[in-house]
Amino acid sequence: MRKVKTIGIVISFISFATFLGAQDRSYLSSLENTFTPQMHEHHYSHYVKDAKNPLDFIFGALYLSYKTFISSQDMESCVFHPSCSTYAIESIQKKGYILGVINAFDRLTRCHPFAGPNYPYDEKSQRLYDPVD
Amino acid sequence: MTRLRILYITLFSLFALWANGQSVDSLIAYADEQFTAGQFNLAAKEYQRALFFGPSESVGALTVKTGDCFLEQKMFSEAEKYYHFASNIIQDDSLRFEALSKKSVCLIHQHSYQQAILDLFNVNTEFSARATNQKEFLLGTCFFGMGDFKEAETHFHLALEEGEIAKKETIKTLLQSKKLMKPDPQTAYWMSIIIPGSGQIYSGDFKSGINSAALYFGFMALLLNMTFTSGWVDAIFTVAPWWQRYYTGGYTNAKKIAFAKREANRANIYRQIFHLINER
């Protein structure tokens, strides 16, 4: 009985050692870029590039200019994800020019610090989640 | 009818004798296969099953393996829990160091440098010079992350062999470089408060600096124009909030830009140190 026990212990120790024995340092390689700041690249130009007609192009260009020159200089003031400007352009694309613009204005009236309880919270963007229906 | 029943029961009983449940060894082998194939999520589930059903002797190894699956998926918080558990049950110094250094890597990724330092100071590495070097490298990384470059230099030097003097000198030069502290976010912040856009230009972002200055002076001109044409009450209620908004946004962004640039400089220096120490 003692012999069987000893053999068992030896076998389990050997398998344990082979399992972990070779000191694998590959996990250290993940540290190489650990201090590299995470840059969030924004691509706003596809609304202009993908425009199907001149009106789409104008709305796309307005959105692109706003995002590049105005919004980039602002603090993070919109409480929603997607932001009001993105919501507006998506709304125009999905609902057409008249309904889309009305919907965008409706969104602007809802964007305020007390909007909290009515919308789900998006962990990733740390904003209230309100996509275009 | 009764005979038929007895026959069925007998047949099923024989079938049950035939059938075999999946053994723990085959479960681990399957998990290893999935791990090698890069199916880390599936491998983690199988290792967890093996942990539940397997013998107590292999708990330490299986826990580390489960942690590896999460580490590969960059789920550092989850991986850290498994390495922590493994480090508490493994008796062998070498394997315990392996689990603890992996835990430290997870903590570094989560910017919990002090916790990693505590763990590393408590681990025994007398069994191997290589392990000591690795421990010192991880400690140096922690101090680097905390911004204590003097202490980081000490540990990075200890991570190298005695004779590697040239590398030690290079590390010393890199860690005394002014780039580690530049651009200073606080300086950029105050510069943009005094002259809008100057903080961004100081941080190297000319486009944003000119953009910010144009918005500030544009709204300022509009504010003055409205004051003279419609009166100061109208100007304060219509244009001033916009002017204030982009002025505040300007100096807040200047600080963020400077911080991101400084972090990029630090990351670049760390990358050079990383290669100096790890590529032998």
Side-chain angles (χ1 to χ4, degrees):
Chain A
M1 190 64 193
R2 192 181 282 177
K3 221 176 188 179
V4 174
K5 253 187 184 176
T6 319
I7 291 166
I9 289 166
V10 168
I11 289 170
S12 59
F13 183 77
I14 291 166
S15 61
F16 183 66
T18 43
F19 219 11
L20 272 182
Q23 289 215 345
D24 172 29
R25 284 160 54 104
S26 63
Y27 60 89
L28 285 180
S29 62
S30 71
L31 286 177
E32 187 183 348
N33 294 314
T34 189
F35 296 114
T36 308
Q38 299 292 314
M39 295 292 187
H40 300 288
E41 292 266 327
H42 299 291
H43 302 285
Y44 306 121
S45 57
H46 67 276
Y47 290 106
V48 178
K49 284 177 191 162
D50 302 343
K52 290 177 191 123
N53 55 54
L55 210 54
D56 268 0
F57 180 83
I58 291 169
F59 276 115
L62 279 171
Y63 172 76
L64 179 64
S65 321
Y66 171 74
K67 278 290 191 191
T68 313
F69 300 111
I70 314 281
S71 175
S72 64
Q73 300 302 318
D74 199 359
M75 289 181 296
E76 290 173 355
S77 48
C78 185
V79 298
F80 288 117
H81 172 76
S83 69
C84 290
S85 52
T86 309
Y87 183 92
I89 193 87
E90 282 179 3
S91 180
I92 289 166
Q93 279 189 341
K94 282 184 186 170
K95 292 175 188 278
Y97 303 113
I98 297 168
L99 270 178
V101 169
I102 293 170
N103 201 30
F105 274 103
D106 172 67
R107 170 64 172 292
L108 288 171
T109 62
R110 291 185 281 116
C111 182
H112 53 75
F114 306 107
N118 303 317
Y119 302 93
Y121 187 71
D122 180 45
E123 287 288 341
K124 201 179 168 194
S125 62
Q126 298 191 324
R127 296 268 183 288
L128 300 173
Y129 186 58
D130 177 41
V132 182
D133 293 326
Chain B
M1 192 64 189
T2 323
R3 277 184 189 173
L4 205 63
R5 241 182 231 172
I6 291 165
L7 183 70
Y8 278 142
I9 290 166
T10 320
L11 277 172
F12 275 113
S13 307
L14 283 170
F15 183 71
L17 282 174
W18 247 352
N20 272 321
Q22 194 180 22
S23 72
V24 176
D25 287 339
S26 63
L27 198 65
I28 294 169
Y30 178 67
D32 284 340
E33 222 171 81
Q34 295 307 314
F35 187 88
T36 317
Q39 299 286 331
F40 303 115
N41 196 25
L42 195 62
K45 281 179 187 161
E46 297 305 323
Y47 284 130
Q48 281 166 333
R49 280 181 67 194
L51 262 174
F52 187 78
F53 294 109
S56 56
E57 300 86 41
S58 58
V59 167
L62 285 170
T63 312
V64 172
K65 274 283 185 187
T66 317
D68 289 347
C69 294
F70 290 112
L71 184 64
E72 290 289 343
Q73 292 178 84
K74 297 193 189 320
M75 294 164 73
F76 301 116
S77 168
E78 201 64 25
E80 180 219 322
K81 283 179 205 162
Y82 281 91
Y83 293 136
H84 174 76
F85 179 60
S87 67
N88 282 337
I89 52 171
I90 294 172
Q91 297 297 316
D92 179 79
D93 273 349
S94 161
L95 301 177
R96 189 166 175 268
F97 169 72
E98 197 74 16
L100 267 175
S101 63
K102 282 180 177 176
K103 184 190 168 191
S104 306
V105 168
C106 292
L107 287 167
I108 291 168
H109 278 293
Q110 295 173 88
H111 308 292
S112 302
Y113 304 115
Q114 284 175 333
Q115 172 88 49
I117 289 169
L118 269 175
D119 279 333
L120 288 165
F121 273 136
N122 284 321
V123 69
N124 177 22
T125 54
E126 281 168 6
F127 60 90
S128 135
R130 200 178 169 204
T132 311
N133 290 350
Q134 194 172 322
K135 172 185 159 179
E136 293 300 338
F137 168 69
L138 287 169
L139 278 169
T141 304
C142 291
F143 283 110
F144 187 94
M146 287 165 70
D148 188 345
F149 303 113
K150 191 83 196 142
E151 199 66 29
E153 187 187 321
T154 312
H155 289 285
F156 283 140
H157 280 189
L158 289 169
L160 291 163
E161 303 295 333
E162 290 269 319
E164 294 176 302
I165 298 159
K167 281 186 179 182
K168 284 182 183 176
E169 278 304 312
T170 315
I171 287 174
K172 191 179 177 183
T173 317
L174 284 169
L175 288 173
Q176 284 172 2
S177 161
K178 283 182 180 171
K179 275 188 175 179
L180 282 168
M181 294 299 178
K182 299 269 178 188
D184 178 35
Q186 213 55 32
T187 310
Y189 176 78
W190 283 106
M191 279 177 80
S192 274
I193 284 181
I194 297 162
I195 306 167
S198 61
Q200 287 94 321
I201 293 170
Y202 157 77
S203 309
D205 195 339
F206 290 91
K207 190 188 140 265
S208 181
I210 292 162
N211 195 164
S212 176
L215 271 174
Y216 174 85
F217 289 112
F219 275 113
M220 179 67 106
L222 198 64
L223 189 74
L224 289 172
N225 181 51
M226 189 155 256
T227 311
F228 292 124
T229 53
S230 310
W232 63 271
V233 178
D234 274 7
I236 281 178
F237 279 100
T238 53
V239 184
W242 291 97
W243 170 78
Q244 183 269 341
R245 182 169 173 166
Y246 292 106
Y247 175 57
T248 318
Y251 62 71
T252 314
N253 281 339
K255 193 175 182 178
K256 276 186 193 168
I257 291 166
F259 184 78
K261 289 264 175 186
R262 193 185 68 181
E263 290 304 295
N265 286 342
R266 287 184 180 183
N268 191 28
I269 287 172
Y270 177 77
R271 214 173 294 121
Q272 291 178 52
I273 295 170
F274 179 91
H275 285 292
L276 275 172
I277 294 174
N278 291 299
E279 282 173 8
R280 287 177 186 166

